[in-house]
Amino acid sequence: MISCEGVGLQYSRGDGPEILRDLTFAVPAGGFRWLLGPSGAGKSSLLRLIYLAVRPTHGRLNVLGTEVGTARRRHLPRLRRRIGVVYQDFRLLAHLSVFDNVALPLRIGGRPEGQVRADVGEMLRWVGLSHKAAARPAELSGGEQQRVAIARAVVPRPSLLLADEPTGNLDGVQAERLMQLLRELNRLGTTVVVATHNDALVARHPGRTLRLAHGRLVADAEAGRA
Amino acid sequence: MREPRARLRRGRFDDLGLKRALADRLLPLLVAAMAFLAALALAGFVGAASLARHWREGAAAALTVQVPQPGAAAAGGGTRRDRVLAVLQATKGLGSVRPLSEGELNDLLRPWLGAGAETLALPLPAVIAVRLGAGAPDAAALADRLRAAAPGTLVEDHAVWVGRLAALARSLQACAGAALLLVAGVAAAVVAIATRAGLAARRQAIEIVHGLGATDGYIAGRFAGRTMLLAAAGGAVGALVALPVLLGLAELAAPFASPYGAESGAGLQLQGPATLRALPDPLWLALPALPLAAAAIGWLTAQATVRRWLRRLP
Ligand SMILES: Nc1ncnc2c1ncn2[C@@H]1O[C@H](COP(=O)(O)OP(=O)(O)OP(=O)(O)O)[C@@H](O)[C@H]1O
Ligand SMILES: [Mg+2]
């Protein structure tokens, strides 16, 4: 599903600092991982590697059966469509309504409009934003925007779901609902990786943890023991 | 039933926000100006070609024979003029042989000699206008035979002038062709610049859509579709604006290009449907092609520009 062997990352090739160094781990299909570490440790950068926004400068990275380092550029879009991402900064399209934002991955994937309408409607009901379907992202609170971002990541039923600080703007109840959703998706077979600072959440939902510090993997174990 | 509706909906779905990002007034305006210039260049091209054809057909088919001292006796009896005429009339392949009358000759000379040409009593040559038909002998052979009949006879074919006019027409056509290419190139550059501005303005949206798994073809198609529409609209406006200008030019050119126009001046009185007929057929084909060409340039340029730009994304 995800396998890293000696993966390293420099944002500016050659002279830049190594943001990630010598990462070696694997996440099996259907697995769940917390991704923990202090701010600046490289959690977002590692997720960026996995969702194919950057390519590794060192080592071998395999995502959903594709060697990311050597894959041809034109093979990546199809792979990206199998990966759902909740970005730390949401990345909603400001000129589109909530409905159209959530519909975006389905339409890019060429799904028929009838299915788009049904799936997006159901997804919006689930995140509790049906009544805001026509609103623009700028008219929403931070937590509501985050729920739109989550809906957009989940709606195409990805094989792999990556969430970067998905509870940062949610209250305790919403965060709990999100964890229920992620666990449900995980039980149905989706591989899930969640980067977070929210220790309380991790404590309530113990699971296997990848811990980063200064761009290195310092632990890969069940939470509590890491 | 569902498929076409889905496609319709997707066509209207402006995920990249291009309706605002691509200069939707400036681009059609600039393309309209290019299409207008292209129409003028096309008219120049077609006009030069048809004038060249007209001259070639008219002038190449005519000879002028001059017989000095026409009244003098020729070697074989009769006057020199009659001998030359007899030889000409016996020659196969000549369409018509017509000696100019004294009055016509004086008309020809009046601009040079003034109104008193008749009273000068100059020794005028006889002038015979010959039209060549199919299978006419070449001018040199004919001249030899006429000189044998009446030494000193001159045969003037118009090949030199036809050659010069044809060269002029060819140069005009080449210039018009070059102008056409230049206009197409500038139009492509304008589209490329507008597309780049659109890419810069929508960079974030493009990165998001790219991250969601959109292919280069999907993103380039969005830009190219919109650019094609804008360019086609501009091309249509340019062609429409050029139409009255071309009709006006065609009317002015009609007396030179129609076989009888020069004599009757009919070209100057064209009206209504006749005015529309004044435009050569090739232009009726070329004008509607302008919006299509603009659309093609817009689509191709946007595709190439966007795909090139997208290579910076992983
Ligand atoms: N695009 C980039 N170009 C250069 N350096 C970057 C870039 N993105 C991140 N970095 C650097 O990489 C390091 C790790 O950043 P990253 O965003 O991965 O940390 P993080 O663990 O997600 O932190 P946080 O918990 O605050 O989100 C930081 O030092 C940051 O300055
Ligand atoms: Mg981060």
Side-chain angles (χ1 to χ4, degrees), chain A residues 73, chain B residues 196 203 207 307-314:
Chain A
R73 190 174 171 278
Chain B
R196 281 174 174 280
R203 185 187 176 118
E207 282 174 355
R307 282 175 187 269
R308 217 179 118 81
W309 189 91
L310 282 174
R311 270 189 254 144
R312 72 186 57 191
L313 300 181

Side-chain angles (χ1 to χ4, degrees), chain B residues 22 27 191 195 222-232 294-295 297-299 302:
Chain B
L22 275 179
L27 185 59
V191 170
T195 306
R222 285 297 154 103
F223 272 87
R226 179 109 187 107
T227 309
M228 183 174 74
L229 273 182
L230 295 177
I297 288 175
W299 191 86

